[in-house]
Amino acid sequence: MDSYDKLSQLYEKRQQISLGGGEERIARQHEKGKLTARERIDYLLDQDTFVELNTHMRSRGSDDDPSPCEGVVTGYGKIDGRKVYLYAQDFTVNGGSLGEVHAQKICAVMDLAAKTGVPIVGLNDSGGARIQEGVSALDGYGKVFYRNAIYSGVIPQISVIMGPCAGGAVYSPALTDFVIMVEQTSQMFVTGPKVLKAITGEEISAEDLGGAAVHNKVSGSAHLKAPSEKEALDQVKVLIDYFPQNNRETPVESKSQGEKKDPAMIASIVPENPTRPYDVRNVIKEVVDNDTFFEIHPSFAKCIVVGFARMNGKVIGLVCNQPKCMAGGLDIDASDKASRFIRFCDAFNIPLVTLEDVTGFFPGVKQEHGGIIRHGAKLLYAFSEATVPKITVILRKAYGGAYVAMNSKAIGADLVFVWPNAEIAVMGPEGAASVIYAKEIQQSDDPETTKQKKIEEYRSRFATPYHAAGLGMVDDVITPEETRSSIIQALDMLEGKSEARPFKKHGNIPL
Ligand code: HXC
């Protein structure tokens, strides 16, 4: 073969490999409304930035094995100018199933991403462990899981589920920081519908068992969903914009520092009556830079709202009670959702801003028996553990254990601001008055009037911000209009904060 032939051979191989499992299977993929692995990469990355790695890797002793790329395309490129590593499973090749070499290729990009401090994105579309490879496939999964775990908190890891994701395969996405699913065409389950029917007799469709809706709303195993593959990949681009490249860097500041329109707007959103609901997302929108709030887990545990935003161009992580849902009470799922988000922000140097309006940890047998104690403890642990700048604004009420858990001074908040009509107390005035003035109310001639009098007495004595401010538990009482500027100044002053913790191998967060 002369050098011309060798070049022709290379081009031919490239052409053949680029077709994955062949035109027929590509057509089938398109018929399902799915893109191919390479089309997904093309859409996700900046034009002409993709560099493919290990293109010619194949299973040992498989010279004639027509498994282009071993069913996974791996490499690196850029998203809006930012470096990323990625892998995209190719369903047209053995159903994107994971064998030994497929796993080696994924591990190789994960190792490079960790060594160079660059985020990694996994585009999952796979029938799971490659059945023909038996235990080698399982071992391959193990190697991927190991890397997901040891690189957690080192580089951001994002998973997009773009097809089936069955069996133990779901545990790689589950170990990553964010999971995005495509509606109707992606599913995640440990045990699929057919096996489920055989084992438990339960009959359910794949979509109802593990589709995007169920994992976003019910199980919380996915953080985001999108109606199309392109929209799911757009969400990856948005996420990457908020992240630093790794745990030693801070997020890139935006140059366009959107000014707010009218600071007075914010006061009109929160009703004075502490029992009246409102949507905290309307407060968030007035506080952060225009159009920068990106909610995470919007369909799950709706009584807490978490997400990324920018303030004066700087990235923040928001953790906010949602009074329009269960009066803003904290339940098991809300505690889990917030804790995981807080830990991501802390790992990647993203300051935390808490907007608080909370009645307490949610009462009830279901919550108690479901483990609200250990789940709620996660929230206390996560805020206490976090060493990034931590700012709290109490908008209205802050009662009981939930007051402590929502980033109070006692568990390490750097700065706490409170609005003038806020109530900070062990419990709401109604409950408190009926306990501590029970005898007086009972023995009075007009118990109802006495009760109302005692509630007001309690409210003016204990349920005010000035009691807590007098004890140094809040730094300042601010007007709603001053909220945005106070947070921006606080973020500025807390920049470069450094806080040490006692030496330990690692903590033991309640799970
Ligand atoms: C090898 C596989 C495969 C697998 C699919 N294929 N799954 N090959 N190992 N696990 C191949 C098929 O043979 C077929 O090859 C092609 O991929 C497309 O599959 P279809 O069945 O035609 O596609 P579709 O109808 O869309 O169904 C997709 C599917 C189904 C739902 C994923 O293929 C399926 O149920 N596969 C098995 C899923 C599973 O049980 N996996 C093991 C999970 S256990 P051709 O040549 O015809 O194109 C597991 C353990 C991991 O993963 C543990 C880690 C610790």
Side-chain angles (χ1 to χ4, degrees):
M1 234 192 238
D2 62 20
S3 56
Y4 176 80
D5 290 337
K6 284 180 182 168
L7 271 181
S8 302
Q9 186 191 37
L10 173 64
Y11 291 135
E12 203 180 305
K13 272 182 184 287
R14 280 186 181 169
Q15 167 63 12
Q16 205 183 348
I17 285 168
S18 73
L19 284 176
E23 279 164 2
E24 208 177 295
R25 289 194 183 89
I26 290 175
R28 247 183 275 153
Q29 181 87 343
H30 287 159
E31 274 161 28
K32 290 180 195 159
K34 292 161 70 180
L35 299 171
T36 65
R38 286 174 195 280
E39 287 165 345
R40 288 166 180 162
I41 292 171
D42 275 354
Y43 184 79
L44 179 63
L45 297 184
D46 297 348
Q47 209 179 352
D48 299 327
T49 61
F50 181 53
V51 177
E52 190 169 345
L53 298 173
N54 293 323
T55 317
H56 304 282
M57 232 173 136
R58 17 184 45 199
S59 302
R60 267 176 284 195
S62 66
D63 282 353
D64 301 323
D65 180 1
S67 297
C69 288
E70 277 298 314
V72 63
V73 182
T74 63
Y76 56 88
K78 289 188 175 169
I79 294 178
D80 292 330
R82 302 262 305 273
K83 293 179 204 166
V84 292
Y85 281 89
L86 88 171
Y87 68 86
Q89 293 178 314
D90 185 348
F91 192 80
T92 69
V93 178
N94 297 322
S97 59
L98 180 143
E100 183 188 15
V101 176
H102 182 120
Q104 277 172 10
K105 288 183 66 175
I106 294 176
C107 291
V109 276
M110 291 177 85
D111 290 340
L112 281 169
K115 279 191 273 194
T116 53
V118 169
I120 182 148
V121 181
L123 309 182
N124 296 262
D125 188 0
S126 166
R130 191 169 301 166
I131 296 162
Q132 302 87 319
E133 294 201 23
V135 73
S136 299
L138 300 184
D139 184 64
Y141 266 125
K143 286 173 174 152
V144 175
F145 301 161
Y146 173 73
R147 283 163 177 77
N148 286 134
I150 64 170
Y151 300 149
S152 175
V154 178
I155 48 167
Q157 302 180 48
I158 303 172
S159 299
V160 192
I161 315 299
M162 311 187 90
C165 189
V170 293
Y171 286 115
S172 174
L175 286 162
T176 62
D177 298 304
F178 295 99
V179 178
I180 303 167
M181 292 185 76
V182 183
E183 289 166 23
Q184 303 302 328
T185 52
S186 74
Q187 294 94 30
M188 290 197 288
F189 29 69
V190 173
T191 312
K194 281 185 197 156
V195 183
L196 203 61
K197 191 178 170 199
I199 296 174
T200 67
E202 289 169 294
E203 275 191 67
I204 189 165
S205 70
E207 191 60 24
D208 288 345
L209 181 63
V214 81
H215 282 308
N216 273 268
K217 200 172 170 185
V218 184
S219 76
S221 299
H223 300 83
L224 296 161
K225 62 182 164 61
S228 71
E229 293 201 357
K230 286 188 176 172
E231 284 158 286
L233 295 170
D234 288 340
Q235 291 182 343
V236 175
K237 298 181 197 190
V238 175
L239 280 177
I240 289 283
D241 183 54
Y242 287 110
F243 300 165
Q245 290 296 87
N246 55 61
N247 61 349
R248 292 171 189 270
E249 295 183 12
T250 50
V252 181
E253 267 184 52
S254 163
K255 286 185 188 80
S256 60
Q257 302 180 353
E259 262 310 304
K260 294 315 293 176
K261 290 155 272 176
D262 178 7
M265 273 296 292
I266 196 172
S268 64
I269 299 167
V270 181
E272 210 170 306
N273 180 345
T275 60
R276 293 261 320 271
Y278 64 93
D279 189 340
V280 76
R281 287 173 298 195
N282 293 330
V283 179
I284 294 170
K285 279 176 201 149
E286 290 306 317
V287 169
V288 305
D289 295 354
N290 287 330
D291 303 322
T292 63
F293 178 52
F294 186 61
E295 191 173 352
I296 301 295
H297 251 154
S299 311
F300 180 66
K302 289 183 176 178
C303 59
I304 198 130
V305 172
V306 303
F308 301 104
R310 289 182 181 273
M311 291 197 73
N312 221 17
K314 292 189 176 104
V315 175
I316 56 160
L318 283 151
V319 181
C320 313
N321 301 118
Q322 174 57 293
K324 81 169 198 169
C325 167
M326 300 191 321
L330 291 170
D331 67 354
I332 288 170
D333 287 344
S335 305
D336 284 4
K337 168 176 161 178
S339 307
R340 183 127 170 95
F341 181 75
I342 292 162
R343 297 190 98 209
F344 177 84
C345 290
D346 188 47
F348 292 104
N349 309 314
I350 297 172
L352 287 161
V353 174
T354 304
L355 300 182
E356 180 172 356
D357 189 346
V358 66
T359 43
F361 281 104
F362 209 68
V365 176
K366 202 172 157 209
Q367 290 292 313
E368 295 290 346
H369 289 187
I372 185 75
I373 297 173
R374 73 188 156 85
H375 291 280
K378 290 177 198 177
L379 193 56
L380 287 158
Y381 192 106
F383 268 128
S384 303
E385 173 191 54
T387 56
V388 289
K390 294 185 288 189
I391 299 159
T392 298
V393 182
I394 301 174
L395 306 179
R396 204 169 53 168
K397 55 197 182 306
Y399 298 152
Y403 152 71
V404 182
M406 286 298 292
N407 197 27
S408 63
K409 240 333 169 3
I411 63 166
D414 297 297
L415 290 166
V416 177
F417 302 109
V418 59
W419 286 6
N421 64 339
E423 296 181 349
I424 307 173
V426 173
M427 61 177 82
E430 288 78 7
S434 62
V435 172
I436 57 178
Y437 303 117
K439 261 193 201 148
E440 267 180 80
I441 294 169
Q442 261 171 17
Q443 288 163 2
S444 78
D445 297 336
D446 183 353
E448 192 47 42
T449 312
T450 313
K451 187 178 162 192
Q452 290 310 321
K453 218 176 99 202
K454 290 295 174 191
I455 288 172
E456 273 323 302
E457 207 176 293
Y458 179 88
R459 179 169 274 134
S460 59
R461 211 164 142 208
F462 297 112
T464 89
Y466 296 103
H467 193 63
L471 295 168
M473 291 164 197
V474 302
D475 292 281
D476 202 3
V477 183
I478 59 169
T479 67
E481 292 80 358
E482 289 164 344
T483 305
R484 176 171 157 82
S485 58
S486 299
I487 298 173
I488 288 174
Q489 283 169 329
L491 287 167
D492 198 36
M493 287 309 292
L494 291 169
E495 204 166 44
K497 171 195 168 189
S498 152
E499 198 172 290
R501 291 282 187 268
F503 171 79
K504 56 177 131 176
K505 186 173 174 193
H506 59 71
N508 190 11
I509 187 166
L511 295 172

